[in-house]
Amino acid sequence: MRPLLPVLLLSATLPALAQTPAPTDDQSYTLKTQSNVVLVPTTVQTKHGEMIYELKPEQFVVEDNGVSQTVRVDEDTDSLGLSLVVVVQCSRAAGYEYPKLSGLGSMIDGIAGDAPREVAIVTYGSAPLLLGKFSNSVDAMAHALAQLEPCDDPEASTLDAVAYATRLLEARQNHYRHAILLISETRDHGSTAKPAEVVAALGRTNTVVDSVAFGPGKTEVMSDLKYGGGSGPIGLLVMAVNALKKNAAHELAALSGGEYINFTTQRGFDEGLHQLSNHVHNYYLLSFQPHAEANGEPASGMHRIRVRIPDYPEARIRFRESYFAGELDSAAASTN
């Protein structure tokens, strides 16, 4: 299978469950712009970690809240553009990790591939700070990255920073995919943003988060949102919020279909970025139109996604685990 989408992260041009946008002069994207499309970026590996190629749409079983969906696999995505926000923590223990990030610019280029792209750079401690606005200039990105430096700040408001990056992406007036590359410690310290609102915004804007996390000890592996636990849209949202409290970097990636990498050494960082590059250059972009209710829209609230491949029961499958439909009501928004 040729690389399906040679770009960083696995999002798409139109917001999840968005209505068809009015035509513009920028028509470089190739996905069909139809309403109520849910995109499910999916990587498939053997139990030994080898990529599985050339799977057909009929081999995938995609369930939305337990209901099987009609699946499309889109391969004609080479011209899709990318709006990427690189979000880097500057506070707390982050300063010890900065020497490992010296080659971040070339790493972004290597992961992003040849697709059209625009990159913005954000740093944060207790609050996000925009170092470089969206630009397709390599020099502009390098100039912004050169401004990254540790900050003397006791907070690490990761959810606030991701919410800020999501707003930047939502304001873009193009049809590019939305993506965030988050480099941070695993836990949030000091955010004021409501976790439920951050979760809903990622789903609404169809933004994918890839997290490269540093921190002491071994990677904390969680499966709060997978196939057990709470039920119903509020129950699923509560699970997501609780998981964000345990490891914000991991759960942001899991919710949105991105990659999670944890490193403690220079070698671990370099190998993690190589793994990230390999995965995002070799994946399946699945999509489906969820079954509508009487009002023509999917059921409001949090939806759980599951992907299976019956022909490969032992395959290791990574996929977008959820999406949020409709508006976040006041009761759900208060979940924290």
Side-chain angles (χ1 to χ4, degrees):
M1 180 182 73
R2 65 180 178 85
L4 295 185
L5 190 55
V7 289
L8 175 66
L9 305 181
L10 314 177
S11 185
T13 60
L14 67 163
L17 306 178
Q19 296 300 312
T20 304
T24 70
D25 292 335
D26 179 8
Q27 296 293 336
S28 61
Y29 60 103
T30 56
L31 284 176
K32 298 294 188 297
T33 53
Q34 59 190 102
S35 63
N36 297 347
V37 173
V38 177
L39 301 162
V40 187
T42 303
T43 57
V44 186
Q45 298 174 284
T46 68
K47 62 181 180 181
H48 303 296
E50 300 169 342
M51 305 301 295
I52 298 178
Y53 302 114
E54 299 183 353
L55 294 174
K56 305 301 182 183
E58 58 269 21
Q59 292 180 275
F60 290 94
V61 176
V62 178
E63 297 173 349
D64 177 354
N65 284 347
V67 179
S68 184
Q69 306 293 311
T70 301
V71 182
R72 172 181 173 177
V73 177
D74 200 314
E75 297 188 21
D76 185 20
T77 54
D78 288 345
S79 62
L80 285 173
L82 171 69
S83 293
L84 168 68
V85 184
V86 180
V87 179
V88 185
Q89 179 185 331
C90 66
S91 59
R92 295 170 59 87
Y96 297 106
E97 311 300 334
Y98 268 51
K100 302 182 181 73
L101 310 183
S102 59
L104 184 57
S106 59
M107 293 175 185
I108 292 172
D109 282 336
I111 295 172
D114 298 325
R117 97 285 294 269
E118 56 177 10
V119 181
I121 309 297
V122 172
T123 187
Y124 75 97
S126 57
L129 174 64
L130 182 65
L131 297 180
K133 63 182 181 180
F134 280 108
S135 174
N136 58 10
S137 166
V138 174
D139 291 340
M141 181 182 72
H143 177 72
L145 289 173
Q147 299 177 59
L148 286 172
E149 59 182 13
C151 58
D152 184 15
D153 192 325
E155 306 291 352
S157 301
T158 299
L159 292 181
D160 287 350
V162 170
Y164 175 75
T166 305
R167 290 195 296 272
L168 291 178
L169 290 166
E170 191 167 20
R172 301 310 295 158
Q173 299 296 313
N174 57 31
H175 295 288
Y176 283 9
R177 288 158 297 109
H178 293 168
I180 296 171
L181 174 60
L182 173 65
I183 302 176
S184 71
E185 59 186 278
T186 57
R187 290 179 181 266
D188 180 279
H189 298 272
S191 284
T192 59
K194 293 287 188 181
E197 293 177 348
V198 177
V199 171
L202 288 174
R204 184 180 68 250
T205 61
N206 207 21
T207 297
V208 170
V209 180
D210 268 352
S211 297
V212 182
F214 54 84
K218 297 181 179 179
T219 300
E220 181 182 3
V221 180
M222 300 179 301
S223 58
D224 300 71
L225 195 63
K226 290 256 178 181
Y227 313 125
S231 61
I234 298 299
L236 292 174
L237 193 57
V238 169
M239 283 194 296
V241 168
N242 289 337
L244 283 170
K245 294 177 181 178
K246 296 178 183 178
N247 186 330
H250 176 281
E251 191 62 15
L252 287 167
L255 286 167
S256 62
E259 186 84 22
Y260 173 76
I261 297 165
N262 185 274
F263 72 95
T264 56
T265 64
Q266 180 71 60
R267 179 178 178 180
F269 179 77
D270 294 342
E271 290 181 349
L273 267 292
H274 176 74
Q275 173 186 324
L276 172 61
S277 178
N278 181 52
H279 284 185
V280 301
H281 284 277
N282 295 279
Y283 75 97
Y284 298 89
L285 183 56
L286 311 182
S287 63
F288 67 90
Q289 286 187 277
H291 299 303
E293 296 191 315
N295 62 0
E297 300 293 334
S300 295
M302 196 79 162
H303 289 239
R304 174 189 291 154
I305 297 173
R306 184 182 182 187
V307 177
R308 296 183 292 109
I309 306 173
D311 292 342
Y312 293 87
E314 296 185 352
R316 292 161 50 185
I317 309 171
R318 182 177 61 82
F319 51 90
R320 179 181 181 183
E321 297 179 358
S322 68
Y323 71 94
F324 195 93
E327 298 296 326
L328 187 68
D329 61 32
S330 58
S334 64
T335 302
N336 55 35

